[in-house]
Amino acid sequence: MTTLSFSNYFKNQKITLKRLLNEPLQLILVLSIIFCLGLFVLYPLYSTIKVSLMPNGHFDLIVYKTILNQQRFKIAISNSILLGIVVATLGTIIAFLFAYTLTRIQFPGKHFFKGMVILPIISPPFIFALSAVLLLGRNGLLTQQLLGIENFNIYGFKGLVIVQTLSMFPIGFLILSGILQAIDPDLETCAMNLGAKRWKTFTTVTFPLALPGLWASWLLIFVQSLTDFGNPLILGGDFPVLSVQTYLEFVGMGNLPRGAGLAVLLLVPTVSLFILQRYILRKKSFITVTGKSTRRSIVSVSQLIHVLLIFFSILISAIISIFYISIFAGSFIKLWGINWTLTFSHYIYAFDVGLQTIKDTVLLATIATPITVIFGMVIAFLVVRKSFPGKNLMAIAAVLMFSIPGTAVGFGYMISFNQEPLLLTGTMYILLACYVFRYVPIGIESGMAALSQVSKDIGESSTNLGASSAITFRSITLPLITPSFISAATFTFVKCMTGLSAVIFLVSASWKHMTTLILAQTENMLLGQAYAMSVVLTLIILISFAVFKNFMTLGQTSVFGGISHD
Amino acid sequence: MIKLFRNPSPMPTQKSDDWEVADLDLKNVVKTYHDRRGNLIHAVNNFSLKIGKGEFTTLVGPSGCGKTTVLRVIAGFEIPDSGEVLMGGKSINSIPAFNRNMPMVFQSYALFPHLSIYDNIAYGLKIRKVPGNIIKNDVEMMLQLVNLVGMENRYPKEISGGQQQRVALARALVIKPKIILFDEPLSNLDVKLRLQTRMEIKRLQNLLGITTLYVTHDQEEALSMSDSIVVMKKGKIEQIGSPETIYHHPKSVFVADFIGNTNFVEGTIESLLDNHINIQVKDKILKIPKQQATGDINQGDTVLLGIKPEAISILKPGERNPNNFSGTVRHTYFRGTITEFEVEFNNTLINVILPKDVDFQQSFARNERICLSVNPRAINIFKKH
């Protein structure tokens, strides 16, 4: 960099700083956001790294040396990576086939299939592990009862691959169906028009264009698998993985520095993938979403593949439904595999023990949701529409949390806020802070979407038709951002209700969470109660969907009324 | 005569008496900003302009010349660094944008996506707390005026670009503006629709007699719609005048180049006479009336001759004209009512436009040598810097 551009850079910074000083309210806002992000995002990270590097108060690599030398940690690391690679590859393949089927082939019942794929995203993260035990466990319905296989071992690598693939491919599906929809059908038509056969069109046009999406899907599922905590804790058996080891190191052994070291090890791949995705994949994406082409792709696959793809989608959907049905059924059955009597006792017990937990969980999620979304939208507004020094840094810090594994977040919060003046452990505030800062990227994302809805022109056009800024906000801005707000709120609420990996470090006697309770019940072999609790949790989420949707109808019918007919 | 608004008649042809228009006066408006590198940019520099009541004025210029900034200063979206905006003789500098009663038609139309066509048009009236029955009446009038009856319950996404554009127009007109502002309103439409809508806007403006300020970079739009045209360059006015003046008597090479596809040919002042200037172009002397020269020119100066394509004609065999020169036909574009030729002369390509002549065969082979004559009264002389 030359001296000239340096001086220009500082001149520029000086001007933006001056502008900021002219608006004191905005200055205060920016400063307090930076303070909060520093305290609740960067500080816990710093503490975690510090504990692992300075186990005895001075710099020492002993923690990492131990981790990398001990056989059980080495195995955990390679297990995590192996599992991640297998699940990401399988998940991405299923996601692509599913997305291709749903975007490119016309057949009835598409909405049902889409619903089936969304279901795993909104359920508690380990629900597949619970039902895997029911279906494929030692007393499993499929393995033992129907097929008569004794001692089929679902615990371990095999089981984890099955449940993680099923619960994580939907994320890939969302990315890929977005990308496949964004590919202009004209491109495919054009390729055929230039003489390419169907398969050739697919390999030369559709597939290369979807490649960035495939990469994104693979990476995202890989990270999800790596950081997954609930499934391996239940189904891991003698297949130790990193995220579980971090927790056990702290809970079982009370070894803080080593727990921190493992959390950092978990953090390295996820944060680097986050950076990779942010800076490399984004630039490589060929798709520009213009929203212009509403035509459906006329390129369809051959009849045989057509049937195979639909069959495949039905199969996957059926497997997902069987997993859900078995949980539901399991919650009403006295002792699965042994005593098939129907009973309500699990529910009665669940409510007896868990009512306070249910209340806590819902209350905390309800408080955290609006704060998270509004906070995120404010950040989005500042980042998109304003300029001030340190803006990019703020944007990165704000979304960084999404890439940090929940285990590391929980660990960091636990060791950062356990003494005066920041004594938050045991209170509801540590859970709220964890929710808000972990899920604020959802609010930011929706804020960006909302801002693209409310273009500068639209606001100005309201102004020069005579509306003051208050009226413009009420009659134009608010109705336009409501849909994004509601959908972000829905997603945040679900995340708060189902998050486990971070929360497990932060729950206390006075503030509990349903997911940790279900996990505890599973560990204590109170499986029926765990199933009942899972059903209750899923129901609460579905009810919240209905409630949010109700809120939305006003905004939605009017904004999206226009899309209904095409 | 049927009046627009407060009147149940089917076709409005004139605006009602309670609709007042205003004149507009800009005095030495300056607006600066800092670019990304921190340099001070004069977006609008000492800009003064008067627009009379009911006049249609157009700002033209290349992108970045400050025309949109002028519009935004008038609308109140930008606060000028110095200078004054007067409406009806009174300064409106301190009046906020929402109290100026001068709606703008945006390039993006900026229709409210969550409101129906009806509610979009009614928006300004509702803000002004106009009684419901009057709103209904006025909006229905507007729908008729812009030919959108039957569309009122649709949403912006459900109608075509041309219809959206007309909704934007109706939404602006319904509040009986004193002045209406257009910011490149037609640039998102296809050619045919653009021509139609251009005529539509002009028809409504004629009908209603509203003071109009229109921004465009399309010279044809400016020439065909305006009472007066303001050509802008780098935040300053280059020339103000009627379309005819701007077209026939451009004050500078910039204006001549921007308006009317002018050809430029280099020449030298051979001598200055009482009524004529003799200019040497290559080996010919052109005799050009003195009033065609702009600025101060002296003998021996190098000048640029601005020649409009239609001022050049092709000499028929046997015809004589002192101002003739020969060139080589490089391309012919048949365009129906006219034919366009690119003729190479003195190593530059010159545009020639000829109206279709039913009696005369107007096709030439490529690379054919032809003889051209030029009307000296249609040549503008600019000093070359």
Side-chain angles (χ1 to χ4, degrees):
Chain A
M1 205 185 256
T2 61
T3 350
L4 186 73
S5 56
F6 256 131
S7 77
N8 264 337
Y9 175 78
F10 284 115
K11 211 169 164 191
N12 191 7
Q13 293 292 306
K14 226 169 102 185
I15 289 159
T16 51
L17 187 67
K18 215 185 253 170
R19 253 183 237 159
L20 193 63
L21 289 172
N22 284 336
E23 293 180 67
L25 193 76
Q26 194 190 318
L27 179 72
I28 293 167
L29 202 60
V30 167
L31 287 179
S32 38
I33 288 174
I34 288 174
F35 174 76
C36 285
L37 291 175
L39 186 61
F40 289 104
V41 177
L42 301 179
Y43 177 62
L45 255 178
Y46 162 78
S47 308
T48 311
I49 295 171
K50 190 179 136 193
V51 167
S52 74
L53 287 175
M54 305 171 81
N56 308 313
H58 54 85
F59 180 76
D60 197 341
L61 282 174
I62 181 82
V63 172
Y64 291 98
K65 279 182 190 150
T66 323
I67 292 175
L68 294 175
N69 278 327
Q70 274 195 21
Q71 199 56 27
R72 64 184 172 111
F73 293 125
K74 277 203 271 192
I75 290 175
I77 293 171
S78 64
N79 278 353
S80 280
I81 293 172
L82 176 71
L83 182 66
I85 290 173
V86 173
V87 169
T89 310
L90 277 178
T92 302
I93 293 171
I94 296 177
F96 184 78
L97 292 176
F98 219 102
Y100 190 85
T101 313
L102 287 188
T103 51
R104 289 292 192 273
I105 299 175
Q106 300 299 318
F107 62 100
K110 271 190 176 184
H111 284 286
F112 171 74
F113 289 107
K114 262 181 209 162
M116 285 316 296
V117 188
I118 303 298
L119 213 50
I121 296 180
I122 61 165
S123 341
F126 44 79
I127 201 151
F128 282 95
L130 288 180
S131 46
V133 173
L134 285 174
L135 289 168
L136 308 165
R138 292 192 181 109
N139 289 319
L141 183 65
L142 288 177
T143 44
Q144 207 235 4
Q145 307 283 328
L146 293 179
L147 301 172
I149 307 167
E150 292 291 333
N151 291 326
F152 177 82
N153 193 3
I154 184 69
Y155 297 92
F157 180 67
K158 241 184 313 181
L160 282 177
V161 168
I162 296 174
V163 298
Q164 286 196 342
T165 306
L166 278 180
S167 58
M168 289 164 191
F169 91 87
I171 315 156
F173 166 80
L174 286 186
I175 296 174
L176 287 166
S177 65
I179 292 240
L180 284 174
Q181 260 164 7
I183 295 175
D184 190 341
D186 286 352
L187 292 175
E188 289 170 347
T189 316
C190 177
M192 286 186 102
N193 177 271
L194 291 169
K197 294 228 169 65
R198 282 176 184 141
W199 177 246
K200 198 83 187 158
T201 302
F202 177 80
T203 53
T204 54
V205 177
T206 317
F207 189 74
L209 284 174
L211 207 54
L214 287 166
W215 258 111
S217 155
W218 195 92
L219 290 178
L220 213 62
I221 297 178
F222 180 76
V223 168
Q224 287 269 328
S225 161
L226 209 60
T227 58
D228 184 19
F229 177 70
N231 288 318
L233 199 61
I234 294 172
L235 273 191
D238 52 3
F239 186 80
V241 295
L242 210 47
S243 58
V244 174
Q245 288 303 312
T246 311
Y247 175 70
L248 293 180
E249 204 57 40
F250 156 69
V251 172
M253 323 268 175
N255 193 333
L256 268 186
R258 207 178 288 162
L262 290 168
V264 171
L265 280 188
L266 207 52
L267 209 135
V268 170
T270 55
V271 171
S272 17
L273 286 181
F274 166 74
I275 294 166
L276 189 77
Q277 194 175 11
R278 210 178 149 82
Y279 292 101
I280 301 169
L281 287 179
R282 240 179 226 184
K283 272 179 206 158
K284 267 193 80 178
S285 176
F286 307 107
I287 305 285
T288 44
V289 184
T290 53
K292 252 186 180 172
S293 187
T294 49
R295 278 156 293 178
R296 287 243 163 76
S297 174
I298 59 150
V299 179
S300 43
V301 288
S302 73
Q303 206 59 37
L304 177 69
I305 295 179
H306 189 128
V307 171
L308 282 178
L309 281 174
I310 293 178
F311 177 74
F312 174 78
S313 303
I314 293 173
L315 184 73
I316 294 285
S317 305
I319 293 174
I320 294 175
S321 341
I322 290 171
F323 273 76
Y324 277 92
I325 291 168
S326 66
I327 283 277
F328 188 72
S331 71
F332 289 104
I333 281 164
K334 201 135 210 173
L335 195 56
W336 188 274
I338 292 159
N339 182 354
W340 294 96
T341 342
L342 289 177
T343 176
F344 276 108
S345 62
H346 302 318
Y347 283 92
I348 294 165
Y349 181 88
F351 277 99
D352 245 15
V353 179
L355 189 62
Q356 190 55 43
T357 308
I358 297 174
K359 281 185 188 161
D360 286 355
T361 313
V362 174
L363 177 72
L364 286 177
T366 312
I367 299 174
T369 298
I371 301 176
T372 309
V373 180
I374 291 171
F375 188 54
M377 287 185 141
V378 168
I379 293 179
F381 176 77
L382 289 173
V383 168
V384 173
R385 294 270 161 99
K386 302 283 167 182
S387 60
F388 49 87
K391 187 172 95 166
N392 287 333
L393 214 62
M394 179 165 123
I396 291 172
V399 292
L400 185 63
M401 272 295 221
F402 224 50
S403 72
I404 302 177
T407 321
V409 176
F411 193 91
Y413 268 53
M414 185 191 65
I415 60 170
S416 302
F417 304 116
N418 61 354
Q419 55 202 354
E420 297 289 352
L422 288 167
L423 184 60
L424 296 179
T425 32
T427 65
M428 67 187 282
Y429 301 108
I430 195 161
L431 285 163
L432 285 179
C434 175
Y435 288 158
V436 169
F437 290 93
R438 241 192 122 194
Y439 302 131
V440 76
I442 301 173
I444 294 175
E445 196 79 11
S446 78
M448 304 261 185
L451 284 174
S452 68
Q453 277 282 331
V454 193
S455 72
K456 217 170 138 202
D457 279 1
I458 284 181
E460 283 180 351
S461 132
S462 164
T463 306
N464 87 1
L465 288 167
S468 64
S469 41
I471 296 178
T472 300
F473 183 77
R474 207 179 55 225
S475 61
I476 305 296
T477 317
L478 210 53
L480 284 175
I481 65 173
T482 304
S484 336
F485 182 88
I486 297 289
S487 65
T490 317
F491 196 31
T492 308
F493 185 81
V494 169
K495 283 285 189 186
C496 292
M497 289 296 296
T498 59
L500 168 71
S501 49
V503 164
I504 200 164
F505 290 91
L506 307 175
V507 285
S508 55
S510 35
W511 292 95
K512 302 196 192 73
H513 196 279
M514 286 173 83
T515 54
T516 57
L517 183 64
I518 295 171
L519 203 65
Q521 286 167 338
T522 315
E523 282 177 332
N524 297 330
M525 293 311 285
L526 297 169
L527 291 177
Q529 286 79 354
Y531 301 145
M533 207 57 157
S534 302
V535 171
V536 172
L537 181 50
T538 311
L539 277 180
I540 293 175
I541 291 168
L542 290 177
I543 291 168
S544 77
F545 263 64
V547 172
F548 279 123
K549 215 177 165 191
N550 228 358
F551 271 123
M552 184 122 105
T553 35
L554 188 139
Q556 201 182 26
T557 46
S558 40
V559 175
F560 303 114
I563 312 171
S564 59
H565 71 114
D566 55 44
Chain B
M1 273 293 193
I2 308 158
K3 289 183 179 179
L4 180 58
F5 301 149
R6 314 290 143 75
N7 197 320
S9 322
M11 259 327 269
T13 58
Q14 192 198 352
K15 69 178 191 293
S16 61
D17 301 329
D18 58 337
W19 184 342
E20 274 178 39
V21 300
D23 57 358
L24 192 69
D25 197 355
L26 276 78
K27 282 188 177 156
N28 309 329
V29 171
V30 176
K31 176 73 194 172
T32 58
Y33 63 90
H34 293 275
D35 69 1
R36 303 182 106 213
R37 294 179 156 198
N39 304 319
L40 189 73
I41 305 286
H42 278 81
V44 176
N45 199 354
N46 212 13
F47 189 95
S48 298
L49 176 67
K50 268 180 196 281
I51 302 173
K53 260 189 196 177
E55 232 176 57
F56 194 121
T57 302
T58 302
L59 301 180
V60 288
S63 17
C65 71
K67 52 193 193 298
T68 295
T69 310
V70 172
L71 207 64
R72 294 174 60 81
V73 164
I74 295 170
F77 295 136
E78 308 277 355
I79 298 158
D81 298 354
S82 64
E84 251 187 324
V85 181
L86 302 141
M87 182 166 70
K90 284 176 201 147
S91 169
I92 55 168
N93 273 20
S94 56
I95 296 179
F98 61 87
N99 271 340
R100 294 198 178 187
N101 205 16
M102 36 169 100
M104 175 137 102
V105 177
F106 289 79
Q107 186 175 3
S108 63
Y109 318 141
L111 298 183
F112 307 126
H114 61 305
L115 299 181
S116 66
I117 301 311
Y118 182 95
D119 288 331
N120 259 286
I121 299 176
Y123 186 79
L125 297 175
K126 283 184 182 159
I127 299 285
R128 286 168 176 71
K129 303 212 161 59
V130 174
N133 56 331
I134 296 182
I135 292 185
K136 191 163 181 292
N137 181 53
D138 286 4
V139 172
E140 273 165 12
M141 277 298 183
M142 267 303 146
L143 285 165
Q144 254 178 37
L145 196 69
V146 296
N147 208 359
L148 282 172
V149 178
M151 300 276 184
E152 52 268 41
N153 291 324
R154 300 218 190 157
Y155 285 88
K157 272 180 193 159
E158 298 173 308
I159 60 177
S160 72
Q163 289 168 334
Q164 290 181 8
Q165 162 55 246
R166 269 140 56 199
V167 175
L169 187 60
R171 183 177 68 177
L173 287 174
V174 79
I175 62 170
K176 300 178 185 168
K178 292 182 170 158
I179 293 167
I180 186 165
L181 308 171
F182 291 90
D183 187 8
E184 308 205 16
L186 306 181
S187 50
N188 284 339
L189 298 177
D190 64 56
V191 179
K192 201 175 170 195
L193 215 53
R194 202 181 303 163
L195 293 179
Q196 258 176 28
T197 316
R198 187 203 287 175
M199 282 152 72
E200 189 82 353
I201 291 177
K202 187 60 192 163
R203 179 180 70 85
L204 285 172
Q205 198 268 338
N206 269 339
L207 179 73
L208 305 168
I210 316 169
T211 313
T212 304
L213 186 60
Y214 192 100
V215 161
T216 181
H217 60 252
D218 182 330
Q219 48 151 324
E220 267 189 57
E221 243 169 75
L223 290 170
S224 60
M225 299 172 88
S226 326
D227 296 320
S228 90
I229 294 178
V230 179
V231 183
M232 285 183 71
K233 180 190 176 186
K234 290 182 185 164
K236 285 185 169 176
I237 293 178
E238 188 79 5
Q239 187 174 2
I240 305 182
S242 67
E244 290 79 9
T245 313
I246 298 278
Y247 189 85
H248 294 301
H249 305 287
K251 266 196 199 157
S252 63
V253 175
F254 178 82
V255 177
D257 192 28
F258 195 76
I259 303 272
N261 306 325
T262 310
N263 297 301
F264 290 100
V265 175
E266 211 177 278
T268 320
I269 305 286
E270 201 257 351
S271 57
L272 293 150
L273 304 170
D274 284 347
N275 298 322
H276 288 98
I277 305 172
N278 286 335
I279 297 174
Q280 181 162 13
V281 179
K282 244 183 141 185
D283 52 352
K284 279 248 182 309
I285 302 280
L286 285 178
K287 234 175 137 187
I288 297 171
K290 208 167 188 177
Q291 65 267 25
Q292 301 296 112
T294 50
D296 180 36
I297 46 177
N298 301 304
Q299 195 167 0
D301 283 352
T302 309
V303 289
L304 278 180
L305 303 183
I307 310 168
K308 293 272 167 3
E310 68 278 10
I312 305 170
S313 48
I314 293 172
L315 278 188
K316 293 170 194 171
E319 245 184 325
R320 294 219 166 263
N321 189 313
N323 292 325
N324 71 67
F325 48 92
S326 58
T328 313
V329 176
R330 292 298 182 209
H331 285 288
T332 308
Y333 305 97
F334 176 65
R335 285 172 50 186
T337 51
I338 56 166
T339 308
E340 211 177 319
F341 301 93
E342 265 173 22
V343 181
E344 192 179 319
F345 168 77
N346 211 3
N347 292 327
T348 50
L349 282 179
I350 289 181
N351 263 319
V352 180
I353 292 175
L354 295 179
K356 175 106 181 102
D357 187 340
V358 282
D359 298 328
F360 179 54
Q361 187 65 32
Q362 266 174 340
S363 65
F364 299 97
R366 247 179 111 176
N367 299 332
E368 191 177 329
R369 296 280 295 174
I370 56 168
C371 204
L372 300 170
S373 72
V374 56
N375 185 344
R377 277 190 300 273
I379 295 178
N380 301 105
I381 306 166
F382 305 102
K383 190 165 174 176
K384 195 178 180 191
H385 298 287

